[in-house]
Every structure is written in structure tokens, then in C-alpha cells.
Amino acid sequence: MKKVVKIYKPTEEETELPVVDGVKCGFPSPAEDFSDMRLNITREIVKNPASTFYARVSGNSMINDGIGDGDILVVDKSVDPYDGCIAICYVDGEFTLKRVERHNDHLMLIPANKAYKPIHITEDNHFTIWGVVRYVIKKL
Amino acid sequence: MYALADCNNFFVSCERVFNPGLNGRPVIVLSNNDGCAVSRSNEAKALGITMGVPLFKIRDIVEKYNVAVFSSNFALYGDMSGRIHQTLRQLAPAIEIYSIDEAFLDLRGLEQTDLDAFAKKASAMCFKNTGIPVSVGVAPTKTLAKIASKYCKKRPELQGGYFLHQKEDIREILKTVPVEDIWGIGRRYSQKLHTYGVHTAADFVSLPPEWVQKQMSINGLRTQNELKGESCIDFLGIVPPKKQICVSRSFAREMYDTGKISEQVSLFTSMVCEKLRRQKSACHQVIVFLLTNRFKEESPQQYESRMFTFPVAASSTLEINRVVLKELSFLYRKGYGYKKAGVILTGIIPEDAVQLNLYDNLDRVKQSRLMKVMDQLNERIGHGTLAVATESREGIKMNRQRLSPQYTTKWTDIPVVKSSR
């Protein structure tokens, strides 16, 4: 059987030559040692990536605490709820955003808007704190 | 010492994190194309819904008991799994990811600590960070760690963690473990063992080692030694590159049109090539397969595949796709309804070990630069930003009618919190 062997000639395309970093004539940039330091907003607001979630606000019951309709919440589930924290709560079948106050035998979920009433939480309620809000992102 | 962290009813648990109203209710998650139940809540298990049962067989139960049914939301499960792994990494010097919902931890060097407390703490941390319940078993071997994890799954009083190490405890627990539940003993071997009157892990351990090796090869012997507390299965901190990579899918319904099928197969090719390059490999062979629906016995049936061998190991989507489409055209027959297709890459070697061929007429440097740009763009802007023209732009058509939102991977899908009551 006849075998065909193709022979290729070198292409005439341009060849790029690498630029060697070390050989420069000018004064070296004094900023060189400080590169890689540009600020990263995620690194600032997300302390625990494994436990940080985002959620969107619907409604204005927390407006006087600076949280309005459409804002994005940065929630860290690993943070222990504390007295007075603003948290995503799960109450009787739905998620709601409120400030959580600890009282003797019950919790109060306090809105930040006079049009809404505080919610009284006792053992009879189906209640969990889903996560504590750490930051609010709002578009102006 | 080793630990196994195993997420309880993982897919169901992921759905429950973002939908707490599902707690206490029977919930199931279905396989691709909404076929079978692949994850079940304890309530669903109690209703007799078995692993892998097709949805159409349990319609009555689903309706009668108001079972919540979900399509597989892999974007969500993948992200939640990553969060669990991230949490575990903070706790142990090394972890080995075994599957989407299981990871081994290497605890060598931590023998002085209270490992029962460690197991409970690991479970609590995973739950706190993610809301996913995780069972952590600690034991002298991986096989025993699996058993310990399963043991504490059924006992809430252990608080998600159990350290199995006392000889008497191991002996007692092995009596309760059926052979088919032992890690590494497949269904075939457990059937065989049952015929010899070996029903539990304790029975298996008491068999003469020579018999085990003769009947079940060295792997069976290894499992036996592991159950005796002698560690034989290595810890794989770094996952070795896969020797075979496959992307295949069932179509939502039978496809007859060669153009439509080519689009889908082209998309599979592009996905499988991306996987290949991600693990920094190249492949010598590509296999394409095309299957008709075997449940439709009255229609013409075809299950065929074709393989192509590259003269020089390939990794470029363009090069591989060209071959795949050509092979596909040999497989395709008009009038056949195809239900599934796939692309497999084998003969995989590291990309820096590719043997060049004197008569190679492809500019490999240029190709590899092009692929690098393509991969980077697709990673940054989203899959399919830069694609081969033959590949389907609509993605894989899957039946996913009960899909929950991608709560953690898509801005338009993040949970909504009411602030209006």
C-alpha cells in the first residue's frame, strides 16, 4: 500500500517574543511591592463564607433601622443571636425580618416602622431564628 | 483515627434549609428528569417510599400523604456541599471528599483529644453554618467510621457524633449491621454471603481470612481487616485525576431530528472537554453513544456506541467536537426515537505528558491558548458565553417541573424575607 507523507513548511506568521521582566532601564516602580492590595468588598463583609447567605427584603417594616424594600441582606448563620440583633426569623410558616428582644419568658419581634406592631413570641409559636443580619446592601 | 461526616437525607435537607415549613413533613427529591426518588426525608421513608422508586409507582402515596416533591436542584446542593466541606476543613488537618454528601477526615495526630466531643462539635458546626444535619462517626478505620456515622444517624441522643473505638462496642454494633450495609461489599457479594449464612458484619468478621480472600479477592480481605480495626484503606487527600470522564443525559422526551440531537451531543462534548481541561488532562479516545427508549418496546431499538482514537492526545473542544459529530452521524438512524446520549473521554493522560506526533497538522499551542480564553470567559461570565457553533444554546432539555429556586447561586433567586407584617 502506498503511504502519503505530508511535509509541512514552517508558517510565516509573526512570532511573539516573551518580554523579560527583569531587564528594564527606568527607575523601578516604587508601587511594585504594594500590588495585590486592591480592596475587595466581599472579603470585608463576608467573614465566614461557609455560613453567609444573601436574602432580599420585601416590605418596609424595618425602614427606620435603614432597611427598606428591595435591599439585600448579608446573613451569617454562624453568629449566635443576641439581645437586640436584627435577624431573619421564621414565624408560623414564613420568613420575617425583625429586631429580636429578649424578655423574661418571651421574645419580642420589634419592627422599625410605626405602622407595624411588635410580635409577641411564646413557646406556642413555631419560631426559629434563621440567621443574624450583618450588613445591608442598598442601591441609592 | 478517621471520621466520616455524612449529611442526613442531603438533598431533602437542602430544600428544608430554605423552606423550614417542610420540617416534619414527608419530602422527596427526584432524579434528573423527575424520574425516581433519590433523597427521602425520614417521614417519607416511614411511608415506605424506597430509594430509587419511580415517581409513577408512588403517585397514590404522594397524593394521600401530601408528600412534598422536588426536582433535583444541583446548583443548590453543590453549593451547600461546598459549605459543609469548608466547615470541615477548619476542623481537621485533611479531608477527603468522598461524594456530594460525604467526606472523610484524617484525624491522625488528634488521638489525644476527646474524639467523641470532636464528632459532636463537627456535627454542631456544620448545622450552625448551613442548617444541614450531619452525622459524624469517628473510628480507627474508614469502614468502621462509616458504620459509626450510620449508627448515630438513628440515635438523636448522640447529638450527631459518635466515637466508636472500644472493642466491646465494636463487637456489639457489628452484630446489628447487615452485610449489605458494609462499605465495600456490593450487592453480588452480599447475596453470596447470605447463602453461606453470613448475615451480619459480626458473622463476616468471624470468617476465616483465607476463605474471604479466596471468595472475595484482596478487597474483601481488606474490608474484613478494616472491620477488625486495622486500617487498610488509604486516605486520599488529593483526588487523583479521573481515568474516564463522561457527560450523558436522558432527554425529556424522545428525539428524532438529527440536527437537534447533534446540538445536544455537541453541548455534552463541550461540557466533558471543559472537565478534562479543568483537571489538566488530555485524552486519547472519545466514545459517543446513542440509546433509544428501552421502555417503549414497540418502537425500533438501538443501543450503540462508536470510539475514535486520536493520533495525538486531544483536549480542544473544537478538535474533539469535530470527531464526535462525525461519529454521531454514523450512529444516527432516521425514524428512531433517541432517549439518551453521551460522550465519554478515556485514555486520559496529564496534559504535560502529551506525546507529539511528527505529522501532526494542528497548531496545538494556538488551540490550547484559545481553549484557555474560552474556559476563562465561561467561568467568569457564565457557561456558554463562548461556545462551539454546533452546540445547543438552550442548554440541556430536562424535565424539572418541581425545581426550587437557586437560593445561593443566582441573584434573582435569593430568598425573599417579608418585612410587611
Side-chain angles (χ1 to χ4, degrees), chain A residues 37-119:
Chain A
M37 285 175 66
R38 188 176 293 170
L39 300 174
N40 178 323
I41 189 71
T42 308
R43 225 172 280 160
E44 179 62 20
I45 64 175
V46 178
K47 295 286 183 253
N48 303 303
S51 57
T52 299
F53 295 84
Y54 303 109
R56 199 178 298 276
V57 178
S58 156
N60 275 315
S61 74
M62 296 301 286
I63 197 74
N64 291 331
D65 278 333
I67 306 173
D69 192 49
D71 291 353
I72 292 172
L73 305 171
V74 180
V75 180
D76 188 346
K77 271 177 89 69
S78 74
V79 172
D80 285 318
Y82 52 91
D83 191 20
C85 68
I86 292 180
I88 295 182
C89 307
Y90 190 74
V91 192
D92 301 332
E94 69 178 11
F95 284 121
T96 182
L97 181 72
K98 293 286 177 291
R99 184 178 293 279
V100 182
E101 274 183 12
R102 221 174 260 160
H103 293 261
N104 284 335
D105 59 339
H106 67 278
L107 294 172
M108 290 299 280
L109 304 185
I110 314 288
N113 181 338
K114 285 204 176 99
Y116 297 90
K117 284 203 185 95
I119 303 171

Side-chain angles (χ1 to χ4, degrees), chain B residues 283-302:
Chain B
C283 71
H284 274 297
Q285 280 100 23
V286 57
I287 299 166
V288 191
F289 65 86
L290 204 51
L291 314 176
T292 49
N293 188 352
R294 66 191 164 92
F295 292 110
K296 287 204 172 158
E297 284 163 5
E298 69 286 359
S299 315
Q301 297 287 322
Q302 181 194 0

Side-chain angles (χ1 to χ4, degrees), chain B residues 222-237:
Chain B
R222 213 175 276 163
T223 301
Q224 197 193 31
N225 285 335
E226 283 251 322
L227 289 172
K228 289 176 182 166
E230 189 186 314
S231 180
C232 304
I233 300 172
D234 280 342
F235 191 83
L236 304 166

Side-chain angles (χ1 to χ4, degrees), chain B residues 152-164:
Chain B
C152 71
K153 199 164 280 193
K154 290 180 193 140
R155 291 169 183 77
E157 67 276 13
L158 293 174
Q159 297 165 312
Y162 180 56
F163 180 29
L164 175 64

